[in-house]
Amino acid sequence: MSRTSSRTSGPPPTLADVAERAGVSRQTVSNAVNNPDLLRADTLLRVQQAIADLGYLPNRAARNLRTRASHLIGLRIQAAQEGTANATMDRFVHSLVETSREAGYHVLLFTGDPTDPLSGYEDLLRSTAVDAFVVTDTYLGNPQAEWLDGRRAPFVAFGRPWENSEATHAWVDVDGAAGCESATRHLLAKGHERIAWIGWRKDSRIGEDRRAGWHRAMKEAGLPTSGLASRVEDTVASGREASEVLLDEAAPTAFVCASDTLAMGVLHTLGLRGLRVGDDVAVVGFDDSQVAQVVRPGLSSVRQPLEDVAIEVVTALEGLLGRPRVAQQGVLLTPSLVVRDSSGPDRS
């Protein structure tokens, strides 16, 4: 049977009411709320029981003044890139907000000068408006992680420290190589041997990591990759142009793409040439965007476990903000392949 508060009317219960109910001092109740590790297990249980019975809600604003904690997590967001189908950040932000709320935190979204990756951080750090940051831009040359680390500001990165293998900050990432290897093996199992790759420019560590998965699967199958790869910008137009060249020069029967945006460009090319998606040429994207789910005939795509990423990020944040502080290690999560009709039938 569920327990309900014994107080049904009148003013809300106070800390003094809880102390009297539990037979402890006010300081003990305060410790139970703010520093429970200082109390004996039986004392903590007694205070928690009194809090539950009375329906006592700690004054978070007052507690924040004492502990200098805002219970806010800062996350800088960028404007969506035009000409793409990428909505990964939308999914991640929603999952992060939900998971943070369950842990007692809220996410403060902020923007900055698009040409300055550090814009917005210093103001929030100086004003102590947030307790920690989540960094999402870990691409080549981005200084955010190093800058925050140098100022001893708590943060967790969604993305590996690509440039610094000795970095000690907490991070969570998705194994893009494993995802693209899985996509390529999926097409190999259907009987394809001429599988082309369309990815991002060589200075994209994420793009090169995903390309490595395609390359590994092809090599392990004893199949050639020469002339079957293209590196372009992440736009639908770039995917369309790259697939036109590859079809003319390499005659692939399938494509694996670094993003759903590039895969959409391939679908456009196939449509313009009167080729049937899946039946004539198979296509697999990456990110399992909403576009992949609704476009005809349905785009097979590698899905990132963004809900799990958010959980791991918040777990790491709790460790960094807890007392005592708990050092966190990097976490690499494995994506899954969502198969739709663009994979086509077995060719063997």
Side-chain angles (χ1 to χ4, degrees):
M1 178 167 45
S2 62
R3 179 181 290 110
T4 57
S5 169
S6 61
R7 180 183 293 267
T8 58
S9 61
T14 65
L15 184 143
D17 294 330
V18 175
E20 181 180 358
R21 176 90 170 207
V24 298
S25 67
R26 298 184 183 186
Q27 183 59 51
T28 298
V29 176
S30 179
N31 286 339
V33 172
N34 299 305
N35 300 290
D37 53 308
L38 297 179
L39 300 183
R40 287 171 31 187
D42 60 333
T43 302
L44 177 61
L45 183 61
R46 194 162 71 252
V47 174
Q48 290 174 334
Q49 184 69 60
I51 288 174
D53 289 344
L54 294 174
Y56 172 66
L57 295 174
N59 187 326
R60 172 161 285 181
R63 183 170 63 181
N64 291 350
L65 290 175
R66 293 193 299 274
T67 64
R68 296 181 61 82
S70 67
H71 296 273
L72 292 175
I73 304 299
L75 174 67
R76 174 171 157 158
I77 57 173
Q78 303 277 23
Q81 182 182 352
E82 297 292 335
T84 73
N86 188 4
T88 300
M89 281 305 300
D90 288 346
R91 275 185 57 211
F92 172 68
V93 170
H94 184 271
S95 297
L96 181 65
V97 168
E98 286 292 309
T99 307
S100 298
R101 180 183 58 79
E102 293 171 0
Y105 291 91
H106 293 285
V107 177
L108 175 66
L109 301 179
F110 67 99
T111 60
D113 182 349
T115 65
D116 179 6
L118 296 177
S119 176
Y121 283 91
E122 190 165 3
D123 289 342
L124 290 175
L125 194 59
R126 186 186 300 116
S127 65
T128 66
V130 298
D131 294 342
F133 293 93
V134 173
V135 175
T136 60
D137 297 322
T138 60
Y139 54 81
L140 184 66
N142 192 302
Q144 293 170 346
E146 183 178 353
W147 188 88
L148 291 168
D149 211 23
R151 286 157 179 75
R152 302 176 64 84
F155 74 96
V156 177
F158 176 15
R160 277 162 279 182
W162 297 101
E163 294 181 80
N164 184 4
S165 60
E166 298 180 357
T168 58
H169 67 260
W171 57 267
V172 182
D173 203 0
V174 176
D175 192 341
C180 289
E181 182 175 0
S182 173
T184 307
R185 291 186 184 282
H186 164 67
L187 294 173
L188 289 169
K190 285 185 170 292
H192 292 277
E193 295 184 349
R194 301 285 293 172
I195 303 174
W197 167 259
I198 302 180
W200 301 324
R201 299 293 186 186
K202 201 167 186 177
D203 61 357
S204 169
R205 295 289 182 90
I206 298 174
E208 288 301 282
D209 182 57
R210 295 180 184 182
R211 181 185 185 278
W214 162 79
H215 189 268
R216 183 164 61 237
M218 293 290 282
K219 286 299 183 183
E220 289 181 358
L223 297 172
T225 58
S226 178
L228 283 168
S230 179
R231 292 183 174 97
V232 297
E233 299 294 332
D234 189 34
T235 66
V236 173
S238 294
R240 183 178 64 248
E241 293 165 5
S243 58
E244 289 173 349
V245 173
L246 285 166
L247 285 168
D248 288 340
E249 298 182 357
T253 62
F255 287 86
V256 174
C257 301
S259 69
D260 286 348
T261 296
L262 293 174
M264 287 299 300
V266 178
L267 297 187
H268 283 193
T269 295
L270 298 181
L272 290 172
R273 295 194 174 197
L275 296 171
R276 296 170 299 171
V277 177
D279 292 326
D280 295 327
V281 179
V283 185
V284 179
F286 197 109
D287 283 332
D288 193 32
S289 63
Q290 289 180 324
V291 172
Q293 299 171 31
V294 300
V295 69
R296 295 181 65 182
L299 176 64
S300 295
S301 185
V302 177
R303 182 177 180 85
Q304 300 194 59
L306 298 179
E307 296 77 14
D308 293 336
V309 170
I311 291 172
E312 293 291 347
V313 166
V314 172
T315 298
L317 286 170
E318 288 182 302
L320 293 174
L321 298 174
R323 289 179 293 188
R325 181 170 174 164
V326 178
Q328 303 294 311
Q329 303 296 317
V331 177
L332 190 62
L333 300 175
T334 302
S336 58
L337 178 63
V338 180
V339 177
R340 299 190 178 92
D341 289 344
S342 71
S343 292
D346 292 346
R347 299 170 72 90
S348 54

